[in-house]
Amino acid sequence: MATDDATAQVRGWFTGRLPEEWFTGAPEIVRDREEIAVLGTLPDPPADTPEAERQALIEGLARRFREETRERRIEIAREAEHRFRQKVSWGVVCGGETVMFTTLSVPVMTRLRQAERQVLDTLVAAGVARSRSDALAWCVRLVGKNTDEWLGELRDALQHVDRVRSTGPDVNT
């Protein structure tokens, strides 16, 4: 996890760098070791939009934003990647839906016992996933979706540990 100060610096840089008319407020910045994700909120569809039309409208708004801002986003991303030494991905939130345009797919090495491999193989055999790798990603998304509150508490605890560590003596000198 990135430290609070480093994330605040990145958030401030993007908020100052992005055109004000792009989003309805400051962008949400999500960081890990490899990637900075910039998520901006677009205006919601009108409340009286029929449900059958709503999803298509959200998709159209996201696609239009993506196409109209492409060159400028690439320029800003290159600048940020040079400055922060991390890849930048983009997405928008509209009508409560998140649409990501670009994201990294980072390989992760893991060791699994036979029973765990059988879970993945079952997902592949059932057509839920194309490969063990896809099945594992599916499992991680499922766990993340169903444990948002617990993971949020864990992230908060890690941030607290980072703050406490930063006030302690510097052992590297």
Side-chain angles (χ1 to χ4, degrees), residues 43-79:
D44 286 341
D48 61 346
T49 304
E51 190 56 38
E53 188 179 328
R54 185 176 182 281
Q55 195 61 37
L57 179 58
I58 290 170
E59 184 180 323
L61 291 168
R63 184 173 288 241
R64 182 176 70 194
F65 175 85
R66 181 180 188 181
E67 294 304 320
E68 290 177 356
T69 63
R70 181 183 311 273
E71 288 182 30
R72 189 80 173 104
R73 284 185 300 106
I74 290 171
E75 178 185 318
I76 292 168
R78 283 187 182 138
E79 232 179 283

Side-chain angles (χ1 to χ4, degrees), residues 5-167:
D5 288 344
T7 299
Q9 181 185 24
V10 170
R11 183 179 301 111
W13 187 88
F14 274 101
T15 300
R17 192 72 177 85
L18 296 175
E20 290 180 16
E21 66 273 9
W22 277 10
F23 305 125
T24 60
E28 178 185 358
I29 305 297
V30 180
R31 279 183 86 199
D32 64 13
R33 288 182 282 189
E34 292 84 18
E35 181 177 23
I36 300 168
V38 181
L39 292 135
T41 302
L42 301 178
D44 286 341
D48 61 346
T49 304
E51 190 56 38
E53 188 179 328
R54 185 176 182 281
Q55 195 61 37
L57 179 58
I58 290 170
E59 184 180 323
L61 291 168
R63 184 173 288 241
R64 182 176 70 194
F65 175 85
R66 181 180 188 181
E67 294 304 320
E68 290 177 356
T69 63
R70 181 183 311 273
E71 288 182 30
R72 189 80 173 104
R73 284 185 300 106
I74 290 171
E75 178 185 318
I76 292 168
R78 283 187 182 138
E79 232 179 283
E81 288 169 4
H82 178 74
R83 179 181 178 113
F84 300 111
R85 303 279 186 243
Q86 287 181 284
K87 288 293 190 184
V88 175
S89 62
W90 298 90
V92 293
V93 178
C94 183
E97 303 284 328
T98 300
V99 179
M100 294 301 295
F101 306 146
T102 53
T103 57
L104 289 180
S105 181
V106 179
V108 177
M109 185 66 132
T110 185
R111 295 182 187 280
L112 299 176
R113 299 197 185 282
Q114 186 178 36
E116 296 155 337
R117 293 190 310 269
Q118 288 173 340
V119 169
L120 300 180
D121 292 341
T122 300
L123 292 171
V124 172
V128 172
R130 292 182 308 242
S131 65
R132 282 181 172 177
S133 178
D134 286 343
L136 185 56
W138 183 88
C139 290
V140 170
R141 284 191 302 274
L142 183 64
V143 169
K145 179 180 175 183
N146 291 314
T147 59
D148 280 341
E149 183 179 335
W150 180 80
L151 288 173
E153 288 178 21
L154 188 57
R155 287 184 187 109
D156 290 344
L158 289 170
Q159 289 175 350
H160 178 71
V161 169
D162 283 344
R163 284 192 298 273
V164 171
R165 263 194 207 128
S166 69
T167 63

